[in-house]
């Protein structure tokens, strides 16, 4: 079926071959929408003649990407913030992402502060779901694509400075807890109401457990840019993955993780969260780019620094879900939950990430190959 026109309507009943609800997959199923909200979702025949029938498709919640640096040729730290955000969100929305958080790489403090303040206005207007600071409080030994000269140890004044710049919109901060002042900063970040995420870290297993006890609730792209597992020193990944109260980010693109590791994270006691960690080249041509102040070359679907270090990805969440299902063997409903419900819960967005009564009507239409053929945001079909 051709996707409906992108025009707002007050009431809409959708029926489909399958509907992925929070705790079940309805085959067939239906979703009833009014004034931008879901009022009911159920199995079997719809309660009245539907407005749209997707006979060969699956309805799922809109994807929620809580770790993205850019797309469509733009980055969130570009000078023209409004234009960059419009381009990035449109690029990812075309692939089913209806909620996005802006991630910022390490940069000069004054520059990061200005960018955070500019992005905060877009969060307050509902364009973005929040801001993620990936740096500057990272381990030089696991810096990834972050400028080592700009990394620093956390101190109370600087943490407060950047959090205040966001006016409550900074929802996540990645931090290496082994840095001097790191554990105190974890507690400080959590005290601001943001997620303290352990990442780009050389912390050992015991220190990671201490950081979780101090208030950390997430791991940033687990296994990537952190101390690896050793039989006598299991490192941070195992501490994160064994805890059911921790959200574990993973990049399912066939570059960052082996499919067996994707399955391992998905099946762990932690709550898996698909992220793209996408940089500007996502949805754009390959070639030369910048990530923060560093030069990045994108070729054959991989973004790298000159020394070969992986520099984010060119992934969309649609591709992540497809890779997880088709290559890693993850059940579709589990993969969708990792791209919708879990990230929404991770950053405290109770009104989305599920097809359930009372929530915002963000949904996508998936064909048999799991490609997104139509996207709805707050009850309105999107044009992209």
């Amino acid at each position: 079926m051709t996707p409906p026109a992108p025009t707002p309507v007050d009431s809409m009943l959708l029926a489909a071959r399958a509907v992925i609800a929070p705790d079940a997959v309805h085959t067939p199923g239906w979703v009833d929408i009014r004034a931008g909200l879901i009022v009911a979702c159920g199995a079997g025949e719809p309660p009245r003649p539907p407005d749209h029938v997707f006979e060969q498709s699956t309805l799922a919640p809109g994807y929620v990407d809580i770790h993205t640096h850019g797309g469509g040729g733009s980055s969130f730290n570009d000078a023209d913030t409004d234009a960059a955000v419009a381009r990035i969100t449109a690029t990812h929305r075309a692939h089913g992402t209806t909620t996005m958080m802006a991630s910022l790489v390490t940069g000069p403090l004054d520059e990061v502060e200005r960018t955070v303040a500019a992005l905060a206005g877009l969060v307050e207007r509902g364009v973005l779901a929040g801001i993620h600071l990936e740096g500057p409080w990272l381990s030089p030994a696991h810096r990834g694509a972050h400028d080592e000269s700009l990394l620093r140890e956390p101190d109370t004044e600087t943490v407060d400075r950047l959090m205040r710049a966001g006016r409550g919109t900074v929802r996540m901060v990645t931090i290496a807890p082994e840095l001097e002042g790191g554990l105190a900063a974890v507690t400080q970040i959590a005290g601001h109401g943001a997620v303290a995420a352990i990442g780009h870290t050389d912390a050992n297993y015991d220190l990671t457990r201490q950081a979780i006890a101090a208030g950390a609730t997430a791991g940033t792209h687990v296994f990537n840019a952190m101390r690896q597992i050793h039989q006598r020193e299991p490192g941070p990944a195992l501490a994160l993955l064994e805890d059911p109260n921790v959200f574990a980010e993973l990049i399912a693109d066939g570059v960052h993780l082996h499919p067996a590791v994707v399955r391992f994270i998905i099946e762990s006691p932690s709550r898996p969260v698909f992220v793209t960690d996408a940089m500007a080249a996502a949805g754009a041509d390959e070639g030369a780019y910048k990530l923060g102040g560093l030069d990045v070359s994108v070729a054959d679907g991989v973004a790298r620094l000159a020394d070969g270090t992986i520099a984010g990805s060119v992934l969309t969440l649609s591709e992540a879900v497809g890779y997880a299902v088709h290559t890693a063997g993850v059940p579709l409903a589990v993969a969708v939950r990792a791209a919708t419900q879990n990230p929404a819960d991770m950053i405290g967005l109770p009104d989305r990430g599920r097809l359930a009564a009372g929530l915002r009507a963000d949904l996508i239409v998936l064909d048999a190959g799991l490609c997104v053929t139509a996207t709805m945001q707050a009850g309105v079909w999107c044009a992209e």
Side-chain angles (χ1 to χ4, degrees):
M1 170 178 175
T2 301
T7 54
V9 294
D10 185 62
S11 177
M12 193 183 323
L13 181 62
L14 309 178
R17 180 187 62 82
V19 173
I20 300 178
D23 300 312
V25 178
H26 303 318
T27 51
W30 53 270
V31 181
D32 196 1
I33 298 163
R34 296 175 192 170
L37 298 177
I38 298 169
V39 294
C41 178
E45 294 300 315
R48 63 181 189 276
D51 298 290
H52 304 287
V53 179
F54 299 93
E55 295 179 348
Q56 304 299 320
S57 299
T58 298
L59 299 183
Y63 294 138
V64 179
D65 196 351
I66 52 83
H67 186 164
T68 309
H69 296 278
S74 294
S75 298
F76 283 116
N77 61 326
D78 287 352
D80 189 339
T81 302
D82 286 357
V85 170
R87 190 172 296 111
I88 296 164
T89 54
T91 297
H92 287 277
R93 188 165 54 241
H95 297 276
T97 296
T98 54
T99 296
M100 175 172 288
M101 191 152 70
S103 297
L104 300 176
V105 295
T106 301
L109 281 180
D110 289 348
E111 181 181 305
V112 172
E113 184 178 33
R114 286 193 299 270
T115 303
V116 167
L119 290 169
L122 292 166
V123 178
E124 292 160 349
R125 285 160 43 194
V127 177
L128 296 169
I131 300 167
H132 165 215
L133 299 179
E134 192 177 16
W137 307 299
L138 311 177
S139 165
H142 300 278
R143 61 187 179 277
H146 291 258
D147 187 338
E148 183 175 6
S149 68
L150 298 174
L151 299 179
R152 55 187 294 152
E153 295 174 341
D155 62 85
T156 301
E157 180 181 353
T158 305
V159 172
D160 277 341
R161 174 184 170 186
L162 293 184
M163 298 302 288
R164 284 196 303 266
R167 305 190 295 275
T169 65
V170 176
R171 288 185 177 268
M172 181 165 69
V173 179
T174 297
I175 187 167
E178 75 276 12
L179 299 176
E180 184 176 351
L183 288 177
V186 165
T187 301
Q188 185 181 1
I189 290 162
H192 277 280
V195 172
I198 299 170
H200 288 272
T201 178
D202 200 41
N204 62 22
Y205 175 90
D206 291 332
L207 183 58
T208 303
R209 295 299 305 163
Q210 292 178 45
I212 293 170
T217 56
T220 294
H221 43 55
V222 174
F223 285 112
N224 292 113
M226 60 177 56
R227 178 189 289 218
Q228 295 301 290
I229 288 178
H230 184 274
Q231 67 269 26
R232 289 184 295 277
E233 172 40 64
L238 195 62
L240 293 164
L241 295 177
E242 70 181 7
D243 194 321
N245 296 313
V246 167
F247 293 88
E249 288 186 2
L250 65 154
I251 307 171
D253 63 350
V255 176
H256 285 78
L257 300 169
H258 188 279
V261 178
V262 171
R263 288 195 302 274
F264 180 75
I265 297 173
I266 290 287
E267 294 169 1
S268 75
S270 70
R271 298 184 64 181
V273 173
F274 287 142
V275 297
T276 62
D277 195 16
M279 44 81 71
D285 294 334
E286 297 189 336
Y289 287 89
K290 287 281 191 179
L291 184 58
L294 302 180
D295 293 321
V296 177
S297 177
V298 180
D300 299 323
V302 183
R304 295 186 185 275
L305 301 181
D307 65 2
T309 300
I310 297 173
S313 84
V314 294
L315 189 65
T316 66
L317 279 183
S318 174
E319 293 166 337
V321 169
Y323 177 85
V325 173
H326 296 312
T327 303
V330 177
L332 175 59
V334 175
V336 167
R337 187 179 306 120
T340 58
Q341 180 175 326
N342 287 356
D345 289 349
M346 176 176 161
I347 62 171
L349 297 176
D351 66 334
R352 64 197 79 179
R354 298 169 173 83
L355 297 183
L359 275 62
R360 199 171 87 164
D362 290 352
L363 61 83
I364 54 177
V365 181
L366 301 174
D367 66 14
L370 303 184
C371 293
V372 176
T373 61
T375 300
M376 175 182 286
Q377 189 175 46
V380 178
W381 293 110
C382 301
E384 296 87 16

